[in-house]
Amino acid sequence: MQSQLTDRINRISISPTSAVIAEADRYKSRGVDLVDFGPGEPDFPTPEHIKKAAIRAIEENRTKYTPTAGILPLREAICAWHQRELGSHYEPKECIVNVGGKHAIFNAVSVLVQSGDEVIIPAPYWVSFPDIVKYAGGKPVHVETSAADGFAVRAAALEKAVTPKTRLMIINSPCNPTGGVVPPEEYEKILALCRKRGVWLMADECYSHFVYEPNSPYSITTAPGAKENVIVVGSASKTFAMTGWRIGYALAPESLVQAMIKLQSQSTSNPTSIAQHAALAAMTGPMDSVPVMLAEYARRRKRVLEGLRAISGVTCAEPGGAFYAFPNVAAHLANGASAAQNRPKDSFDLSRQLLEKAHVALVPGEAFGAPGHLRISYATSLERIEEGLRRIERFLHRAEAAS
Ligand code: PLP
């Protein structure tokens, strides 16, 4: 079968996070009491005024094709929202609405990257970046970040990876899976590096509004000279708890946006009209759900960190943003400090055993280019977090005793 498919589809794999979610769903459908730390989506409902706007859109028959790039009021609203919230200056002609942030990244990479191009992606990375680059024919080049640095990538480390073939750098701050936040002064150094070396900078801002003190929402687009080199990718998914609505956007120089519109016109056409009207209400309406979610994530982050750090052999950097903890569990693996036979052989194996034996679903570090780690999404209730921590601790202690 493989040989009947194109080389480009054979270059990529199914998203490992989707695979974990599907596996967790199988357990749940069998009635298993699963603690699910898998999904990277808010556990809060979409705010009422957004849902009502969608219902109104249906009732008013706004159910037809829209312009490929999205309805003008939404493009205007995204530019105004980004200016208000993050201080940028974009016009609707520099904005395209896509079917989620992932689609915005896919389209931007498709129009910028071709065979032979290198794309620098700090690791640990969000699962889809390397595969989207590979699908476009490019080569992902990873630059390691460390827990000691809070997983924030440094310009100096990126500089060492730049070659004449480097076309693009993807910075995801706050980062999925680590929660790492690039400090503004470092981000500006990264931009200066990109400008000096003629490299595009993609700023994935999907988690921009979920940052913990002392960090605050920041966009590199406020730096002088940013607009010529930067492609912003954003999403309604996390900020407005709208993952299923599939609305994302890109802000970029007009010529790049035009190329993305061309691609979109021959693939998905416009994002769903009804979802666009919902996103319009999100971007123009009250933002009060955001601090409420953030305060709850902050409470959960504290508890997850305490709980993980209390387990012997587990270390965990404090995430500066997003809603993930990324503990290092290498000491509990057979290839860790001791080579005990009965221990899980790697974090992939550990996550499988945690699912099968402790009924805890989470994503192994291998998916993010960081073996020896686990990604725990704390977009779930404190009560489930307590239960999950108990199960992980019990499982690790039992495995330790048996080894
Ligand atoms: N970028 C990052 C870092 C993400 O974690 C995600 C989703 O998990 C996305 C982009 C895409 O989100 P969506 O396509 O739902 O807008």
Side-chain angles (χ1 to χ4, degrees):
M1 177 61 181
Q2 276 233 329
S3 61
Q4 293 167 21
L5 303 175
T6 60
D7 289 346
R8 63 175 178 273
I9 194 67
N10 286 333
R11 281 198 291 267
I12 66 170
S13 324
I14 189 103
S15 159
T17 40
S18 317
V20 169
I21 290 165
E23 189 65 9
D25 285 346
R26 271 193 286 280
Y27 274 74
K28 286 186 214 164
S29 68
R30 295 205 317 259
V32 172
D33 167 32
L34 193 83
V35 176
D36 198 355
F37 290 143
E41 66 176 349
D43 57 321
F44 300 93
T46 304
E48 280 308 309
H49 69 284
I50 300 176
K51 292 194 279 194
K52 289 210 173 95
I55 294 165
R56 213 167 34 248
I58 296 173
E59 285 170 352
E60 290 172 359
N61 293 315
R62 297 181 192 277
T63 52
K64 303 288 168 66
Y65 291 131
T66 76
T68 301
I71 53 173
L72 185 60
L74 178 55
R75 293 165 83 190
E76 286 169 343
I78 290 170
C79 296
W81 180 86
H82 204 272
Q83 175 167 15
R84 198 169 64 240
E85 293 292 320
L86 295 159
S88 68
H89 294 279
Y90 283 94
E91 295 175 43
K93 64 181 185 207
E94 298 164 312
C95 173
I96 177 171
V97 187
N98 311 93
V99 187
K102 189 186 276 189
H103 186 222
I105 297 165
F106 190 92
N107 283 0
V109 169
S110 298
V111 304
L112 278 179
V113 175
Q114 59 193 354
S115 179
D117 289 342
E118 293 177 358
V119 177
I120 299 180
I121 304 170
Y125 46 74
W126 178 50
V127 290
S128 293
F129 292 139
D131 279 34
I132 290 174
V133 167
K134 285 189 216 161
Y135 194 72
K139 180 178 163 216
V141 174
H142 297 300
V143 169
E144 296 300 320
T145 60
S146 72
D149 265 347
F151 292 110
V153 70
R154 304 264 157 213
L158 292 167
E159 185 155 25
K160 289 191 195 128
V162 176
T163 75
K165 291 186 182 160
T166 309
R167 179 81 171 139
L168 174 70
M169 226 176 249
I170 304 181
I171 302 297
N172 169 217
S173 175
C175 170
N176 173 8
T178 61
V181 173
V182 179
E185 52 300 349
E186 199 63 35
Y187 218 147
E188 288 186 18
K189 285 187 199 159
I190 296 170
L191 172 65
L193 167 67
C194 288
R195 284 170 63 78
K196 186 171 85 181
R197 302 295 296 266
V199 171
W200 285 99
L201 174 58
M202 181 183 282
D204 181 335
E205 299 181 349
C206 288
Y207 296 91
S208 60
H209 281 61
F210 297 123
V211 284
Y212 307 102
E213 283 177 5
N215 300 309
S216 50
Y218 171 78
S219 173
I220 187 59
T221 53
T222 52
K227 275 182 71 175
E228 296 144 36
N229 267 77
V230 173
I231 309 137
V232 171
V233 174
S235 172
S237 288
K238 323 283 170 169
T239 318
F240 301 105
M242 289 179 70
T243 45
W245 299 79
R246 311 307 304 133
I247 293 288
Y249 60 85
L251 299 168
E254 189 183 353
S255 57
L256 197 57
V257 166
Q258 281 306 325
M260 290 172 74
I261 294 173
K262 182 160 73 169
L263 176 59
Q264 196 152 296
S265 78
Q266 298 294 10
S267 50
T268 55
S269 297
N270 58 272
T272 307
S273 59
I274 301 152
Q276 288 189 59
H277 285 279
L280 178 58
M283 295 282 175
T284 52
M287 292 270 294
D288 35 6
S289 57
V290 176
V292 173
M293 287 193 278
L294 181 61
E296 185 56 29
Y297 289 143
R299 266 192 291 279
R300 296 170 183 179
R301 176 183 79 139
K302 185 166 175 287
R303 185 61 203 115
V304 167
L305 272 181
E306 278 166 7
L308 289 171
R309 287 173 173 172
I311 304 174
S312 68
V314 174
T315 58
C316 191
E318 182 175 81
F323 39 69
Y324 308 104
F326 202 59
N328 184 325
V329 291
H332 287 276
L333 306 175
N335 56 359
S338 130
Q341 285 309 307
N342 289 328
R343 292 182 180 186
K345 67 177 186 324
D346 50 30
S347 41
F348 183 80
D349 189 20
L350 173 58
S351 70
R352 179 139 297 280
Q353 292 196 30
L354 279 167
L355 181 64
E356 285 169 7
K357 299 179 185 166
H359 295 158
V360 176
L362 36 70
V363 189
E366 281 84 349
F368 311 98
H373 293 77
L374 300 172
R375 189 192 76 171
I376 293 181
S377 163
Y378 48 87
T380 187
S381 70
L382 264 178
E383 178 251 316
R384 294 312 279 164
I385 287 170
E386 293 296 353
E387 177 61 21
L389 287 168
R390 259 194 304 276
R391 290 185 193 184
I392 294 172
E393 178 163 33
R394 209 178 311 138
F395 177 84
L396 289 176
H397 280 166
R398 271 200 204 135
E400 200 63 25
S403 69

